[in-house]
Amino acid sequence: MSDKDDSETPVTTEVTPILGDGNCEPAKNSKSFDQSTEPGSKSGPVASTRKRPEARCSNDPKAAEVLPVQASQAAGKEPVSKEVPQTGWGYWGSWGKSLLSSASATVATVGQGISNVIEKAETSLGIPSPSEISTQVQYASEVRDAGRNNILCVSGPFGIFSTISTAVQSTGKSVISGGLDALEFIGKKTMDVIAEGDPGYKKTKGLMNRNSTLSQVLREAKKKEELWTSSEVTMETDKKTHYGLLFDEFQGLSHLEALEMLSRESEIKVKSILNSLSGQELETLKLELEQLKEAFSLAEFCEEEEEEKKGDEDFTKEITDLFSSLRISSRKVTGVKARNTAYEWIGTSLTKPLAEKEEGEKYLEVESTEQVNKNSIEDIHAFAIRSLAELTACSIELFHKTAALVLHGQKQEVTAVERSRTLSQVTVVLCKELSVLSKEFTTCLTTAGVKENADVLNPLITAVFLEASNSASYIQDAFQLLLPMLEISLIESKTESPQNLEGQRRFDL
Amino acid sequence: CPLSMFFRKVFLNSFSGVGKSCLLLQFTDKRFQPVHDLTIGVEFGARMITIDGKQIKLQIWDTAGQESFRSITRSYYRGAAGALLVYDITRRDTFNHLTTWLEDARQHSNSNMVIMLIGNKSDLESRREVKKEEGEAFAREHGLIFMETSAKTASNVEEAFINTAKEIYEKIQEGVFDINNEANGIKIGPQHAATNATHAGSQGGQQAGGGCC
């Protein structure tokens, strides 16, 4: 995707050398990749958007070797620039396109002989509705040629999409030998990708590179931002849009790390328990653990049932209800507060003069006092990124605390499976909330930036969606970390006699 | 080139109610809040300090003191560079059980971990149950640094954390800590531009890796 910016954006042009020699630039410009989702990206605030660092193009040199012809062709080609309508910033409008084009661009890497794969992929885009898709198919074919130019680093720019496209890419390799089945698979994969157009709210788990832990991924991302920040950013305001830094500021990283520690330890414990069992006992337990795992995959498919638009009370109530069914009080569920603050802000930023705004946004320090009726799009962007980081950090904290309480062996009024289902619901609610919130913010941006140049506005909007998408996958990954704790809980409920639970008190989160 | 450091974990541990969370809040926010919710698992605090002209970020893990959380808090010890072992000078029982906490800390972390013994609530002199000399003797016996603090009046709070950090720093200088081993909870990196007051200066030393190409 970064292809289309090559001609226009100084930052992304750094990517192009890769095409020629297969040499990849070091991470210093990695953050600049992100903005390439939209044409005419500027190196401005969006540069702060962080991609998930596990996406890399380390296998690119290989690809270059395999496809020397293509690469040389690519080098000779002019990047194709495309017009993307500013309007219609729904998920389909933006994400669908990015997904589609990255998918097709990746498919192109498979080899020249299978360009029909693209058609295959395109024709199988039956979901969600032909009319919605048609524009994107068109877009995708536009992108396709350009995609060839840029195959080498195409997986770089996108957070989760890069992982998706990497998945497609690796599938693509087998295409050459695999024949039609594989083609079909690619088509299906593309459909899946499209079906996931709602960014990151499904199945993004599992796409993560499991070799590194989530907190490592995030730490690395933060580190990169810091390095970048220290070397290039001098203005205090620029730091406000660094998701990773903000996420850490809200203690998201720490909670994540702690959660991972608990998860890892519990996993070891579960393994050793399983090893100590045999025969019927083992089979029964395995079966039950399987049920638990199923409950953990629930988050994926119950997402579409409900309409996304919800009132304030709904989210708060839903979270509270869910936690009370976990027998954990959500009195101090900070996410609710963070989220409400965000909504208040959105409300005020659209309607009220700056002076009247509430304390929640005072850190924005809007200098331009002559700007009476609205915040600048940069302010909105900064606040959006901050809110997303905060809500995500709070969600991770919530999961960490839940993990601690589950391990703590609270009186088990609910079974581990029930708990898992509830937690999976919590995950869905949180992710949905992120989605709604990011939409609100982008609406806000669109309204505020109606007079702005698309080159300025679009990257900001993209950044918000991208971070929302990343946030959702972090939350989902964190949710998956809870599984070992619930396994322990399940095992303990089977072995422990109820009498030694009498003294347990309930803790409030 | 000056370095920035990141002491990833400095632990606060011991009994519930001795004032760990208060100490942390006093250190990070410079304020005292007498009533804290019971800590579940672990809470976090962070602050930048300067030692020897170097910016160091201390990340403090405030563990739950509740006995029932004991097995959970053990999971968190790994990767700690230092620990503050806290007792309440007005409660003899918190002093008497120090050895179990000490053993816990030593067992589940690296052997070089710097441990400081803190007798908290020094403002409550009239209710004192544990003499300062007893604390000193215990510290001597077990090779700990010792200090009495008051989270309420902020007396010695700053010093307690900073002295712990200094001790860690000295161990690094002596080469006791392998700074390349993240399990020691220390990270070192190039000093960042002064403009990046708190955040950027903190974790620069993390291992690079991954990334594009």
Side-chain angles (χ1 to χ4, degrees), chain A residues 105-120:
Chain A
T106 320
V107 168
T109 67
V110 174
Q112 291 173 304
I114 52 153
S115 57
N116 57 334
V117 169
I118 298 155
E119 268 72 45
K120 176 77 183 171

Side-chain angles (χ1 to χ4, degrees), chain A residues 223 226-227 230, chain B residues 1-8 48 51 53-57 169 172 179-180 182 185-193 199-208:
Chain A
K223 185 200 70 191
E226 278 172 346
L227 286 175
S230 60
Chain B
C1 176
L3 295 174
S4 71
M5 290 191 192
F6 179 50
F7 296 170
R8 208 171 53 130
M48 292 295 288
I51 294 175
K54 293 175 181 65
Q55 289 265 299
I56 296 176
K57 181 177 180 178
Y169 181 78
I172 293 169
I179 52 173
N180 295 315
E182 257 192 41
I186 296 161
K187 285 166 191 163
I188 298 187
Q191 182 101 323
H192 292 291
H199 303 290
S202 58
Q203 284 187 46
Q206 284 183 52
Q207 305 299 317

Side-chain angles (χ1 to χ4, degrees), chain A residues 320-494:
Chain A
T320 314
D321 287 352
L322 286 170
F323 272 87
S324 74
S325 68
L326 279 175
R327 300 291 182 270
I328 294 169
S329 160
S330 64
R331 190 164 48 83
K332 275 178 62 194
V333 174
T334 44
V336 174
K337 205 174 134 256
R339 176 255 181 211
N340 289 343
T341 313
Y343 272 97
E344 270 170 36
W345 190 84
I346 290 171
T348 53
S349 74
L350 282 176
T351 54
K352 289 179 195 167
L354 283 176
E356 283 177 39
K357 283 192 298 160
E358 308 186 35
E359 54 158 2
E361 69 277 11
K362 64 181 172 213
Y363 41 77
L364 279 173
E365 290 162 20
V366 187
E367 290 106 309
S368 51
T369 41
E370 71 276 6
Q371 197 182 16
V372 182
N373 280 317
K374 62 181 178 69
N375 292 292
S376 74
I377 52 170
E378 284 78 17
D379 293 334
I380 298 168
H381 171 250
F383 189 81
I385 299 296
R386 189 182 180 90
S387 299
L388 292 173
E390 185 175 11
L391 191 57
T392 310
C394 289
S395 307
I396 307 272
E397 175 176 0
L398 207 59
F399 283 146
H400 171 219
K401 295 295 176 186
T402 306
L405 290 176
V406 168
L407 284 180
H408 179 262
Q410 272 186 295
K411 192 170 165 142
Q412 298 206 358
E413 297 165 45
V414 279
T415 67
V417 176
E418 279 166 348
R419 267 190 178 150
S420 307
R421 290 204 184 106
T422 308
L423 285 167
S424 143
Q425 282 300 111
V426 170
T427 312
V428 172
V429 171
L430 288 171
C431 289
K432 218 182 283 173
E433 195 50 38
L434 280 168
S435 152
V436 174
L437 197 60
S438 62
K439 256 187 171 170
E440 291 281 331
F441 276 124
T442 49
T443 308
C444 218
L445 274 173
T446 316
T447 314
V450 73
K451 287 183 195 138
E452 296 279 350
N453 191 330
D455 291 357
V456 181
L457 184 62
N458 286 356
L460 294 179
I461 292 174
T462 309
V464 171
F465 276 133
L466 193 62
E467 292 304 0
S469 156
N470 284 339
S471 297
S473 41
Y474 297 149
I475 289 176
Q476 289 176 5
D477 289 334
F479 166 61
Q480 292 301 316
L481 288 172
L482 287 171
L483 179 60
M485 273 69 93
L486 284 146
E487 287 177 340
I488 297 245
S489 163
L490 185 143
I491 294 167
E492 274 176 0
S493 71
K494 287 165 66 84

Side-chain angles (χ1 to χ4, degrees), chain B residues 133-152:
Chain B
E133 293 72 33
E134 294 177 83
E136 283 165 350
F138 184 92
R140 234 185 347 264
E141 188 186 333
H142 294 92
L144 317 174
I145 332 166
F146 174 70
M147 219 170 231
E148 281 194 352
T149 62
S150 165
K152 191 174 179 181

Side-chain angles (χ1 to χ4, degrees), chain B residues 83-113:
Chain B
L84 279 82
L85 188 59
V86 190
Y87 69 92
D88 178 350
I89 64 155
T90 69
R91 281 170 60 196
R92 160 112 2 227
D93 61 321
T94 65
F95 182 76
N96 290 345
H97 287 86
L98 281 176
T99 39
T100 52
W101 289 99
L102 191 59
E103 277 165 20
D104 246 20
R106 290 236 161 105
Q107 213 175 351
H108 295 90
S109 64
N110 87 69
S111 52
N112 291 317
M113 184 168 78

